[in-house]
Amino acid sequence: MRREHIEELVCPCGPHGLTLQHGAIEEQGEIKTGELRCSEDGLTVPIRGFVPRFVPDSGYSENFGEQWNRFRRTQLDKFNGTTLSKERFYSGTGWSPDELKGARVLEAGCGAGRFTQVMLDAGAQVYSVDLSSAVDACLANNGPREHLCVAQADLCRIPFRRHSFDKVFCYGVLQHTPDPRASFMNLVPFLKPGGELAVDVYLKGWAMEPYKSKYLYRPLTTRMPRNLLFRLLQWYIPKWLPLDTFIKRLPLVGRVLGMGVPCWNYHYLPLSHEQQVEWAILDTFDALAPVYDDPQTPDAVAEWFRSAQLTDVRVRIGGNGVLGNGKAPA
């Protein structure tokens, strides 16, 4: 983080500023190690690896830190040679590069930074938070940048000033929190008047889809040691993927038969075979390992936006399940 970013941070216990203590070590204009302190309540926040750490690495999000540091470059366009993240970002949010240029964007849940890259490339000032050590992957992929500030923090205690962002972006996160609705509501106060919010969440329903197989296995896999689960996926997915592709291409019955063995198969994307295997291992782990997986209906998400008194609300099925957009009243 840079010294000027300290002015953007506040104590998560209250709207008080933080000060950098003596002894901080800097490299190329970035604070590598040090300590922030709140003079009001005495809270201290360590800075390690250029990132202020408002929470420890341990907790229900540990699996995400592991997977995004292990697969740090897998889904970033600039490393995989595609525009998949860019296309998903712009089609889901409805935003344009022109309106992102110079905009202050709060990214709630950055992961390895696949969407961080898209926003930075458009010229946005991006403030990214993640509960897990995925912040290290995001920073390694996208930093150091003058317009990037990354903090390890809880979505329910975001350490930035409220009503200070032109846009708030949260994809792939809400369903993995203990209370998706409460997490959503906590994002709204960070919007400026007229600011825009874009979220997505898994779709809840009874349709027979291959991805539903995770709910058959999660009672077991969420209790497995994560290293064991990962080694299991590394072993069977490269062997199973060709047969899984054949099954899922079968007309009429492929979608149902594809539920038998959990395998997130992207045979329809412009990826090499090696990339197909890597994405399958990554996203199958992402489906089976998280402690929380709470999908929502479009009606439930629409109720969130109404209760938050947002305007210009658009909730629809798309992307990873349900997409939602809204605007803070001007």
Side-chain angles (χ1 to χ4, degrees):
M1 66 175 298
R2 305 175 71 88
R3 281 184 176 265
E4 55 264 36
H5 292 153
I6 298 174
E7 299 177 4
E8 309 280 354
L9 294 168
V10 296
C11 177
C13 301
H16 311 300
L18 301 171
T19 56
L20 181 65
Q21 302 302 291
H22 294 297
I25 298 175
E26 299 184 52
E27 290 184 5
Q28 299 179 338
E30 300 275 335
I31 304 171
K32 182 177 182 180
T33 61
E35 186 177 82
L36 299 170
R37 184 184 297 271
C38 175
S39 59
E40 295 293 326
D41 57 21
L43 176 74
T44 58
V45 179
I47 302 172
R48 298 193 311 273
F50 303 99
V51 176
R53 315 278 176 164
F54 291 85
V55 292
D57 290 342
S58 60
Y60 71 83
S61 66
E62 280 184 283
N63 62 285
F64 292 108
E66 292 178 13
Q67 76 183 46
W68 293 126
N69 280 291
R70 193 187 295 266
F71 295 97
R72 178 166 66 86
R73 296 185 168 189
T74 300
Q75 294 186 336
L76 270 76
D77 289 351
K78 65 182 177 182
F79 296 125
N80 62 36
T82 74
T83 57
L84 294 171
S85 294
K86 182 178 180 179
E87 292 169 9
R88 181 179 164 194
F89 177 88
Y90 285 119
S91 65
T93 62
W95 302 338
S96 70
D98 285 343
E99 63 184 293
L100 282 173
K101 187 174 182 179
R104 290 170 51 86
V105 184
L106 172 61
E107 182 182 26
C110 59
R114 64 183 298 194
F115 300 118
T116 316
Q117 179 207 328
V118 176
M119 292 183 282
L120 287 170
D121 287 349
Q125 302 175 52
V126 184
Y127 299 80
S128 297
V129 299
D130 201 287
L131 184 61
S132 76
S133 61
V135 291
D136 297 311
C138 179
L139 190 61
N141 284 331
N142 295 294
R145 295 267 194 109
E146 181 181 353
H147 294 146
L148 174 64
C149 178
V150 179
Q152 187 172 356
D154 192 328
L155 260 64
C156 292
R157 304 178 76 189
I158 295 174
F160 293 114
R161 299 188 185 280
R162 295 189 169 202
H163 311 297
S164 63
F165 292 96
D166 301 295
K167 298 184 186 296
V168 175
F169 172 79
C170 183
Y171 271 23
V173 177
L174 295 175
Q175 63 269 346
H176 295 309
T177 64
D179 187 337
R181 187 182 189 278
S183 298
F184 172 89
M185 292 299 176
N186 192 64
L187 300 177
V188 176
F190 291 91
L191 291 168
K192 290 180 178 178
E196 296 180 286
L197 171 65
V199 303
D200 78 352
V201 66
Y202 291 162
L203 175 63
K204 183 177 184 178
W206 295 102
M208 299 294 281
E209 297 283 355
Y211 74 87
K212 294 290 184 65
S213 63
K214 65 179 175 179
Y215 297 112
L216 302 175
Y217 292 92
R218 279 179 48 78
L220 171 64
T221 58
T222 54
R223 292 172 171 82
M224 291 175 63
R226 288 188 299 275
N227 283 339
L228 175 60
L229 174 60
F230 179 73
R231 290 199 300 270
L232 178 63
L233 299 178
Q234 277 189 311
W235 173 76
Y236 86 76
I237 282 184
K239 301 175 177 63
W240 174 253
L241 193 61
L243 180 57
D244 188 76
T245 299
F246 172 78
I247 291 173
K248 287 174 178 170
R249 283 176 171 167
L250 292 173
L252 302 179
V253 297
R255 300 175 76 86
V256 177
L257 295 178
M259 294 180 63
V261 177
C263 180
W264 266 242
N265 189 335
Y266 299 104
H267 60 84
Y268 49 86
L269 294 180
L271 300 170
S272 68
H273 174 71
E274 291 75 16
Q275 289 174 318
Q276 294 274 1
V277 172
E278 191 170 300
W279 280 53
I281 295 172
L282 164 60
D283 275 8
T284 306
F285 182 84
D286 183 86
L288 299 178
V291 175
Y292 299 105
D293 185 318
D294 191 357
Q296 304 292 318
T297 65
D299 286 344
V301 176
E303 186 275 329
W304 298 352
F305 279 87
R306 289 195 303 270
S307 296
Q309 299 182 336
L310 298 179
T311 64
D312 298 343
V313 174
R314 291 186 301 123
V315 175
R316 68 273 186 209
I317 294 176
N320 239 12
V322 182
L323 294 168
N325 296 76
K327 183 181 292 186

